[in-house]
Amino acid sequence: MRVCVIGTGYVGLVTGACLAHIGHDVICVDNNEEKVKLMKSGQSPIFEPGLSEIMQSAIQTDKIHFTSDLAAGVTHGEILFIAVGTPPLPTGESDTRYVEAVARGIGANLNNGYKVIVNKSTVPIGSGDWVRMIVLDGIAERQKSLVAAGGVSEEKLPEFVAEFDVVSNPEFLREGSAVYDTFNPDRIVLGGNSPRAIALMEQLYAPIVERKHAADPSLPPVPILATDLSSAEMIKYAANAFLATKISFINEVANICDRVGADVTQVAKGIGLDSRIGNKFLQAGIGWGGSCFPKDVSALIHTADDYGYEAELLKAAVNVNERQRLIALEKLQQVLKILKGKTVGLLGLTFKPDTDDMRDAPALNLIEQLNRLGAKVKAYDPIVSQTGMRHGLSGVLVETDAERLADGCDALVLVTEWQQFNTLDYLKMAKLMTHPVIIDGRNFLDPEAMVRAGFQYVGVGR
């Protein structure tokens, strides 16, 4: 099938590359010329395991192209994905101006047959009908310009009416495993009121549904849930809000464990064996961040407020998370007392491992607070340390390896649970430090091994 993906961020680029990999003809559109040039050369502008490889393979087989020409993309695609960013506004609601601009641009360029316009961006509930309205506005503007330019008479305008439907197809990708998640989804959600559009989307995803590219092809077909537009949009928000709340819950339990002498890792294991609860997203630590959880929970709270409902549980989840980000700071103060004049090293900067994403990362809060208290802050991150991203970080000295980080530090804080951090030479690092203290902000390290290496180990809820 012919596919156009508009927006090449984490969602758009992964979606486009993976659809090309399974055999569709894909054009990815982005208004950033430098980014387009980079992608044409086979390089990914983001770090995502496996993405560069499937991009390069799709380029070699002529299945994917990159352009800044929206009209070319719209003309090419039977299915048009809107995958631009919807960053949070100060009020908590989503900024939908990029979605609006793309929808209007699609309308202005619809001219060759039936199209399915797919909301892949996380958009406020009710956006499906809103996008349809904006596309129609774009079509009307195009018609007016045709008449004004004398290219067509008003009597001929009915011939220029485009046929399209809007579908909501929320993504459930995890940064760091987005390519894997695309080929091995738990479910595919399709929201819309047009059987024709839903059928085309099912055809598009057939190779994934049939697990032709799955890690385990013997599994049953991927479930497809077809719903109305609003329900599909709500599913995305509800899923992320639930997972964020689950993390805040175990962090609240961890803080109680710290006070009563229990070990939250054992508690999480015990409750996770209950099939009604499950063991995922029960890892206590210094809170959630990134581009999805904070934005989506805030947007759902804002939507509830708009419709006269106070989402108290979601607000509590956000409050717990904001407090949790300072837990590492409290533990540093308990061990080192005064932080002014001390040197603190951060192991990891990104909000989670296997990504270069620093959006709303807990490390940023730690850096800000440590600077405020007069501490010198150093950091080492396997990705950030190797890229120019470190130039955008203020108040922190980014080191090139973990041993340089440890040298002269009064304490280390493990912020991001990169797998590489399990194999560092902690014995050598402890000897390089002024005070061999480590705050394990993710309960990732083996406490006994750290003590044997010479560290004073402090976990969360342990």
Side-chain angles (χ1 to χ4, degrees), residues 257-433:
C257 285
D258 260 337
R259 287 157 174 80
V260 301
D263 183 342
V264 73
T265 62
Q266 296 300 312
V267 174
K269 187 179 293 185
I271 66 175
L273 289 169
D274 187 325
S275 60
R276 298 167 299 176
I277 297 172
N279 62 3
K280 293 180 179 178
F281 286 80
L282 286 179
Q283 287 72 43
I286 55 175
W288 37 269
S291 64
C292 290
F293 284 6
K295 175 172 71 74
D296 291 355
V297 177
S298 293
L300 190 52
I301 291 170
H302 190 273
T303 298
D305 287 341
D306 279 347
Y307 289 86
Y309 181 75
E310 187 172 350
E312 294 183 1
L313 180 62
L314 299 183
K315 289 179 179 179
V318 171
N319 291 336
V320 168
N321 192 58
E322 288 176 353
R323 184 178 64 196
Q324 200 68 18
R325 291 185 171 207
L326 301 179
I327 286 293
L329 193 70
E330 292 176 14
K331 292 180 179 295
L332 283 169
Q333 289 173 320
Q334 289 167 6
V335 176
L336 300 178
K337 308 307 180 190
I338 303 298
L339 296 183
K340 193 176 185 69
K342 301 288 176 45
T343 301
V344 178
L346 306 183
L347 277 167
L349 286 167
T350 56
F351 88 95
K352 65 178 289 187
D354 297 318
T355 180
D356 57 0
D357 200 344
M358 287 292 299
R359 286 176 289 182
D360 207 26
L364 298 176
N365 296 80
L366 264 176
I367 292 167
E368 180 185 359
Q369 293 302 316
L370 287 167
N371 282 328
R372 183 181 64 82
L373 292 170
K376 177 183 177 182
V377 187
K378 301 200 295 180
Y380 167 68
D381 183 280
I383 289 295
V384 177
S385 292
Q386 309 304 322
T387 68
M389 285 176 58
R390 60 184 180 272
H391 300 307
L393 290 166
S394 60
V396 57
L397 171 64
V398 179
E399 298 285 10
T400 54
D401 61 61
E403 290 173 13
R404 285 177 184 267
L405 173 73
D407 193 12
C409 275
D410 294 283
L412 297 177
V413 180
L414 189 141
V415 177
T416 313
E417 62 276 34
W418 287 91
Q419 280 300 323
Q420 296 97 310
F421 292 167
N422 256 327
T423 56
L424 297 177
D425 188 345
Y426 286 105
L427 186 65
K428 184 175 181 180
M429 288 167 63
K431 291 175 180 176
L432 290 168
M433 294 175 66

Side-chain angles (χ1 to χ4, degrees), residues 143-165:
Q143 290 174 335
K144 286 178 185 176
S145 66
L146 284 170
V147 172
V152 66
S153 65
E154 290 194 24
E155 292 76 21
K156 290 275 189 180
L157 278 180
E159 298 176 15
F160 289 84
V161 174
E163 192 180 2
F164 71 93
D165 283 304

Side-chain angles (χ1 to χ4, degrees), residues 34 43 79 210 428:
E34 286 300 313
Q43 297 180 66
I79 296 177
E210 295 161 9
K428 184 175 181 180

Side-chain angles (χ1 to χ4, degrees), residues 182-264:
T182 301
F183 295 135
N184 302 272
D186 297 315
R187 75 288 202 196
I188 293 173
V189 176
L190 302 173
N193 52 16
S194 164
R196 181 182 182 184
I198 298 298
L200 275 172
M201 293 301 294
E202 289 175 344
Q203 182 184 339
L204 178 79
Y205 284 126
I208 292 174
V209 170
E210 295 161 9
R211 300 196 185 272
K212 290 182 178 177
H213 300 270
D216 184 357
S218 68
L219 290 173
V222 176
I224 294 180
L225 177 62
T227 75
D228 58 276
L229 278 166
S230 293
S231 295
E233 291 160 351
M234 177 61 94
I235 286 167
K236 168 66 176 178
Y237 282 112
N240 276 350
F242 182 82
L243 295 175
T245 302
K246 195 173 181 182
I247 296 170
S248 285
F249 169 79
I250 199 64
N251 281 336
E252 191 120 89
V253 169
N255 296 338
I256 300 171
C257 285
D258 260 337
R259 287 157 174 80
V260 301
D263 183 342
V264 73

Side-chain angles (χ1 to χ4, degrees), residues 59-71:
I59 289 170
Q60 289 168 4
T61 56
D62 205 35
K63 284 295 182 181
I64 194 167
H65 296 87
F66 302 95
T67 182
S68 57
D69 185 348
L70 178 61

